[in-house]
Amino acid sequence: MKIRKAVIPAAGLGTRMLPITKSMPKEMLPIVDKPVIHYVVEEAIRAGIDDILIITGKGKRAIEDYFDRSFELEYYLREKGKLEELKQVEEIGEMVDIYYVRQKKPLGLGDAILHAEKHVNGEPFAVLLGDDIIVSEKPGIQQLIEVANKYSSPVIGVEKVPWEIVNRYGIVDGTQIDNDLYEVRDLIEKPSLEEAPSNIAIIGRYVLPPEIFGILKKTPPGKGGELQLTDALRILVSERKIFAKRISGKRYDVGTRLGFIRANIELGLLRQDLKEQINALLKELVREV
Ligand code: G1P
């Protein structure tokens, strides 16, 4: 099965990163010099996806403007002979076909995904959440697509997390069938330490079948009174096999302050044009503490 379409839910209010998210979408927070969502879109494109639906909400116009062409800016850069910058700006406007649909009320991730039903039109699809940036040779979502193809089944991206933070994630209970692969038995959204069946946490990557929409429609609200994707997957797993794949690569949870700062430093260090200066800066700072 060819996965052509990706859905990027970007309607959340970003309360974990207030106050900046009061007037700026969390998906637009800069990591070095690109917004978080740019990295996520790049990952999808690298995995062969050519159609992206972004679920937006109130106050998210900056996302649409970012991926749109900007003729005034392009004109200005051309006039000034800033051709390198011009190329960069033009490329963003032409990266991939991006469509938008707006979630009118913040009713949860499950509800956001439901907004993709018409666009997805009966095909299996990828979901990438903007809180996680994955740096890996093979794009994170592609690693899941390969498993989905091999088993003709839905796949969830997971990572082992320290036990003390299991309550921040959807947690998977599964049987290990390979080094980095589990068959899912059950799932639980943001359990307490006592409730958690494991420390295998869902990170924001999924390959889902279109049946998920019918299931979401009959899933009752869960944690926080929101419609949870994890709860819908829990129903799906009673109907068919679901796999959980530990994604290889480095994940940055940019939805937390420390994860965000870390991502800026480490992704900056991966940049040839900044590496040396950041290294020198870090050494200087370490000497000072
Ligand atoms: C969502 C999902 C959760 C998952 C997490 C990964 O939670 O509901 O199952 O573990 O994304 O980032 P959120 O972070 O939106 O609260």
Side-chain angles (χ1 to χ4, degrees):
M1 109 186 114
K2 170 96 178 87
I3 307 288
R4 256 184 358 95
K5 294 181 181 172
V7 175
I8 302 182
L13 297 176
T15 47
R16 280 191 297 177
M17 285 294 268
L18 278 167
I20 181 67
T21 46
K22 184 165 177 251
S23 64
M24 178 170 166
K26 65 173 176 174
E27 296 77 14
M28 290 303 292
L29 289 174
I31 306 294
V32 190
D33 53 8
K34 292 190 290 192
V36 170
I37 197 164
H38 187 131
Y39 293 88
V40 177
V41 166
E42 265 174 353
E43 178 187 330
I45 295 173
R46 281 178 61 219
I49 280 160
D50 60 12
D51 174 311
I52 292 179
L53 177 71
I54 300 181
I55 318 288
T56 67
K58 195 170 160 29
K60 303 281 183 167
R61 285 270 302 277
I63 299 176
E64 293 177 50
D65 288 343
Y66 181 79
F67 288 109
D68 199 359
R69 294 290 298 267
S70 173
F71 292 108
E72 295 97 318
L73 180 61
E74 287 169 28
Y75 176 80
Y76 172 84
L77 293 172
R78 195 171 295 112
E79 285 284 290
K80 297 278 173 194
K82 293 181 183 286
L83 299 182
E84 192 53 39
E85 289 85 349
L86 175 65
K87 189 166 156 260
Q88 213 176 26
V89 166
E90 279 176 340
E91 276 171 6
I92 296 168
E94 289 164 358
M95 279 171 90
V96 66
D97 288 341
I98 303 187
Y99 304 87
Y100 299 89
V101 60
R102 207 167 147 114
Q103 184 191 28
K104 292 187 188 66
K105 283 190 194 157
L107 297 176
L109 177 59
D111 180 72
I113 300 287
L114 258 183
H115 283 68
E117 183 175 15
K118 268 203 186 137
H119 187 88
V120 159
N121 196 20
E123 290 177 38
F125 61 103
V127 173
L128 296 93
L129 307 188
D131 282 346
D132 295 297
I133 290 183
I134 297 170
V135 176
S136 54
E137 211 168 295
K138 187 182 283 183
I141 195 68
Q142 190 180 330
Q143 299 178 34
L144 301 195
I145 292 173
E146 287 175 4
V147 176
N149 282 335
K150 181 166 174 198
Y151 294 96
S152 300
S153 292
V155 185
I156 306 169
V158 292
E159 184 179 90
K160 278 198 177 162
V161 296
W163 280 93
E164 57 281 14
I165 57 166
V166 285
N167 63 353
R168 288 193 209 156
Y169 295 94
I171 297 292
V172 166
D173 178 17
T175 315
Q176 190 159 8
I177 55 169
D178 205 344
N179 201 12
D180 55 2
L181 195 65
Y182 303 83
E183 190 181 322
V184 176
R185 220 179 352 246
D186 201 1
L187 311 98
I188 175 164
E189 179 68 8
K190 305 200 173 88
S192 65
L193 186 55
E194 296 73 38
E195 291 168 321
S198 77
N199 60 343
I200 303 166
I202 302 175
I203 54 175
R205 301 293 181 270
Y206 309 78
V207 175
L208 299 177
E211 299 110 88
I212 198 72
F213 298 115
I215 295 177
L216 279 166
K217 283 178 203 161
K218 59 179 191 197
T219 305
K223 270 265 144 74
E226 294 186 347
L227 180 50
Q228 298 292 349
L229 179 59
T230 305
D231 294 342
L233 290 169
R234 187 174 206 181
I235 300 176
L236 186 64
V237 81
S238 65
E239 296 174 4
R240 62 182 293 181
K241 282 187 181 183
I242 300 182
F243 293 88
K245 160 98 172 94
R246 270 166 73 180
I247 294 182
S248 65
K250 184 133 197 206
R251 176 180 74 99
Y252 298 95
D253 180 359
V254 294
T256 65
R257 289 169 178 80
L258 201 64
F260 169 73
I261 292 168
R262 187 185 186 115
N264 266 295
I265 297 171
E266 292 199 22
L267 271 73
L269 285 169
L270 292 176
R271 287 264 299 254
Q272 286 314 317
D273 57 336
L274 294 169
K275 195 170 131 189
E276 262 176 43
Q277 293 165 70
I278 297 177
N279 251 323
L281 174 67
L282 291 175
K283 282 190 191 129
E284 189 186 317
L285 293 176
V286 169
R287 270 199 303 273
E288 280 170 19
V289 287

